[in-house]
Amino acid sequence: FPVTNVKLWVDAASISNPINGNQINTWNSITTDNAYFLQIVNGSKSPILKTNVLNKLPVLEFSLSSKMQMNKTITPTQFTLAFVSRQNGGNNARFLTGSDTTTDTSYGYFNGTKQYLKINGTILVAPGSGSIISDTNWDFYIITQNYRGGVTMIRNGQTIVNNLEITSGFNGIGINMFGTETSDGQVAEIIVWDRCLLNTEISVIYKYLVKKWNLQLLLPTTDPLYAEGVTIKAEQDAIIAAYVAQEAKIKAEQDAAIVAALQKRIQAAADEQAAIDLVIIQKHQAALAVAQEELVNAAKRLADAQLKSKIASEEQAASSAAIQAKQYATILAAQEQDALLKATLANKEANIAQIIAASNAYADQQKLIQQENNILWSSKLANMEQTLVDKTNLFNTQLATTIAENNAKLNTALSIAETNYDNALKEVKRLNNIYIDTIKSENSQLINSELTTKEEQYQSMIANIIKQKNTVQEMDAKLLADSLKAAQETLNQNVSQTNNLAIQRYNSLQEDSIMKQNTLSEQL
């Protein structure tokens, strides 16, 4: 993890003793020196810690009047800013901003739109030019500015701004720092470096944020991490489906228990009715026996027995009618319970139909999103390929120009060296002629005065003169050769330096191209 030059690193998951609903007045950095942190602005409300929000981790929730800013001013010439946040769907204005209200800086959010970027008054992405309507979905941004002023912004794995040069720079980070232009939102993590990260380091940050906060499904479908997100989503859906199935099983068991209890109640009522019927029958049989016995024993009690028999018959009819009414009431209760069970089953079938319809709608929506992401990625890939071709052509043109300039310099240096050589040769000849004329004059005088006596001396002098002439010529030739050698070495050094610079530039462009290809390969 690239911790070099990290100035601010606040993470809601690292807040000690996280209790849901706690007010956070100071958001401390988890860097080693803790020199920079976020603190609430005087007169504003404190943000609230919300636990188990994003990937079961806590986040900080801000209202319209909750404001935070850095405790110290920071204005580096280059920077990298990474953060994970979202708007809650209330007032969707500015959210992540500069820490100074006079600098007019906004990162990612503005006036109901996303992927908006404005730094110190310089608008790089404005509403209507690539922005999208605000929603409650989570976003992760990575924003960089290099030493040449080139700004790049990546949102949810897609490059929105690529190396656009501006004269303004970073001035710290704040939340809801522009008066009434604030947002309801939540922030999970913010990291600030006072340098521009390398592409390999950005890739590490990219994977770190995606995996930590489970943001894979926000990425383009061509990103390898998206497939990982699909797998995680399938596992979560399987867990939810298992939970739903378990709930359905428990509900079915409860319904079965209710039905069993109802059946038991019906059976108990039937048994009770059978016992009552048996008692009535036994009573009738006893009464009949008594009546028969009375008929046999006393004829005079015939009328009374007949009367009692009539009364007994009426009682039997009444008892039968009561029994039938009770049985009918029991049947009605059973029918009502059966209707209730059928209604419950119909509601379950309706809920299952709604779930299936919602699943189909979600699948259609995912297909549409995948198609749109494929179109966007194809356009992005074409733009990156065209940019690589343009940079290659530019390098070839610059290399050809550099070679032509070096050839011209070499020809000029050779021409100057040849001119210097000719001038030096002419000067040597002129000096030799003057010297010879002088010697001749002196020799003529010597011959006229001492012709006969100093002939041998004259011959010796001539030999010395020739020797000196040869020495002078050798010295002149060596001097000329040294001059030419020095000029050639200087020229070779200049050409070598120029070639080295060209090779370094070519290698730099080649490395940049390889890094971009590697980044593109990783994204693919």
Side-chain angles (χ1 to χ4, degrees), residues 442-456:
E442 292 177 355
N443 289 338
S444 296
Q445 294 176 2
L446 183 63
I447 290 171
N448 291 330
S449 61
E450 297 180 358
L451 181 61
T452 58
T453 59
K454 295 186 177 180
E455 183 176 358
E456 293 179 358

Side-chain angles (χ1 to χ4, degrees), residues 296-311:
V296 172
N297 294 331
K300 61 179 181 179
R301 299 176 58 187
L302 179 58
D304 295 334
Q306 290 177 349
L307 180 60
K308 288 180 180 181
S309 177
K310 181 178 181 182
I311 294 172

Side-chain angles (χ1 to χ4, degrees), residues 205-411:
I205 298 299
Y206 180 97
K207 293 179 181 178
Y208 160 76
L209 293 176
V210 169
K211 288 179 174 292
K212 176 179 180 179
W213 299 103
N214 192 22
L215 305 175
Q216 289 90 339
L217 293 182
L218 297 179
L219 304 176
T221 56
T222 53
D223 195 307
L225 293 178
Y226 179 85
E228 178 182 294
V230 172
T231 301
I232 294 175
K233 181 65 166 56
E235 292 174 352
Q236 292 176 344
D237 291 343
I239 293 173
I240 294 174
Y243 176 77
V244 172
Q246 183 67 19
E247 288 291 317
K249 180 180 179 182
I250 293 173
K251 187 66 168 60
E253 291 175 352
Q254 291 175 347
D255 293 342
I258 292 172
V259 171
L262 180 60
Q263 291 176 346
K264 189 175 181 180
R265 287 173 57 188
I266 294 172
Q267 184 64 39
D271 293 342
E272 182 181 1
Q273 187 62 43
I276 294 172
D277 292 343
L278 179 60
V279 171
I280 293 173
I281 292 172
Q282 290 176 351
K283 287 181 178 180
H284 286 193
Q285 291 176 350
L288 182 59
V290 171
Q292 290 176 351
E293 185 178 356
E294 288 179 352
L295 286 172
V296 172
N297 294 331
K300 61 179 181 179
R301 299 176 58 187
L302 179 58
D304 295 334
Q306 290 177 349
L307 180 60
K308 288 180 180 181
S309 177
K310 181 178 181 182
I311 294 172
S313 298
E314 291 176 354
E315 288 178 354
Q316 183 178 4
S319 298
S320 298
I323 291 170
Q324 291 177 358
K326 191 170 184 179
Q327 291 177 344
Y328 181 72
T330 302
I331 292 171
L332 288 178
Q335 290 176 348
E336 290 177 358
Q337 196 67 30
D338 184 66
L340 179 60
L341 291 175
K342 289 181 178 180
T344 302
L345 181 60
N347 289 333
K348 289 182 179 179
E349 292 176 350
N351 291 333
I352 293 172
Q354 291 179 356
I355 293 172
I356 293 173
S359 298
N360 293 333
Y362 175 80
D364 294 338
Q365 183 180 9
Q366 290 299 315
K367 289 180 181 178
L368 180 59
I369 292 173
Q370 183 175 1
Q371 292 174 358
E372 294 176 351
N373 287 336
N374 289 337
I375 294 172
L376 289 174
W377 178 249
S378 298
S379 176
K380 175 183 174 183
L381 183 61
N383 291 334
M384 293 178 70
E385 290 177 350
Q386 184 62 41
T387 301
L388 183 60
V389 171
D390 293 341
K391 288 188 175 181
T392 302
N393 293 335
L394 178 60
F395 169 74
N396 292 334
T397 303
Q398 291 177 347
L399 182 61
T401 302
T402 302
I403 293 173
E405 291 176 353
N406 290 338
N407 290 334
K409 290 179 180 179
L410 178 61
N411 292 331

Side-chain angles (χ1 to χ4, degrees), residues 75-262:
T75 56
T77 57
Q78 52 179 312
F79 73 92
T80 300
L81 168 64
F83 59 89
V84 177
S85 61
R86 70 166 176 173
Q87 293 173 314
N88 282 350
N91 188 48
N92 296 328
R94 303 177 195 256
F95 193 34
L96 274 294
T97 66
S99 61
D100 184 356
T101 56
T102 64
T103 56
D104 197 14
T105 297
S106 184
Y107 300 107
Y109 306 95
F110 176 76
N111 196 22
T113 61
K114 289 188 176 183
Q115 62 189 38
Y116 172 81
L117 184 58
K118 185 178 185 181
I119 302 180
N120 292 350
T122 301
I123 299 177
L124 298 180
V125 177
S129 60
S131 297
I132 60 176
I133 303 301
S134 292
D135 53 34
T136 58
N137 294 330
W138 285 93
D139 306 286
F140 75 93
Y141 287 85
I142 300 177
I143 302 170
T144 64
Q145 183 176 18
N146 57 37
Y147 69 94
R148 294 186 300 271
V151 176
T152 298
M153 180 173 76
I154 300 172
R155 173 185 172 269
N156 294 347
Q158 293 186 346
T159 301
I160 309 303
V161 174
N162 187 22
N163 200 28
L164 291 184
E165 293 187 6
I166 61 174
T167 57
S168 55
F170 187 72
N171 68 310
I173 190 71
I175 302 174
N176 282 342
M177 285 299 297
F178 281 96
T180 58
E181 295 186 6
T182 58
S183 294
D184 300 291
Q186 294 176 336
V187 180
E189 187 168 357
I190 302 174
I191 315 176
V192 176
W193 294 260
D194 63 352
R195 66 183 178 93
C196 180
L197 297 185
L198 302 175
N199 289 338
T200 54
E201 295 174 320
I202 292 176
S203 178
V204 172
I205 298 299
Y206 180 97
K207 293 179 181 178
Y208 160 76
L209 293 176
V210 169
K211 288 179 174 292
K212 176 179 180 179
W213 299 103
N214 192 22
L215 305 175
Q216 289 90 339
L217 293 182
L218 297 179
L219 304 176
T221 56
T222 53
D223 195 307
L225 293 178
Y226 179 85
E228 178 182 294
V230 172
T231 301
I232 294 175
K233 181 65 166 56
E235 292 174 352
Q236 292 176 344
D237 291 343
I239 293 173
I240 294 174
Y243 176 77
V244 172
Q246 183 67 19
E247 288 291 317
K249 180 180 179 182
I250 293 173
K251 187 66 168 60
E253 291 175 352
Q254 291 175 347
D255 293 342
I258 292 172
V259 171
L262 180 60

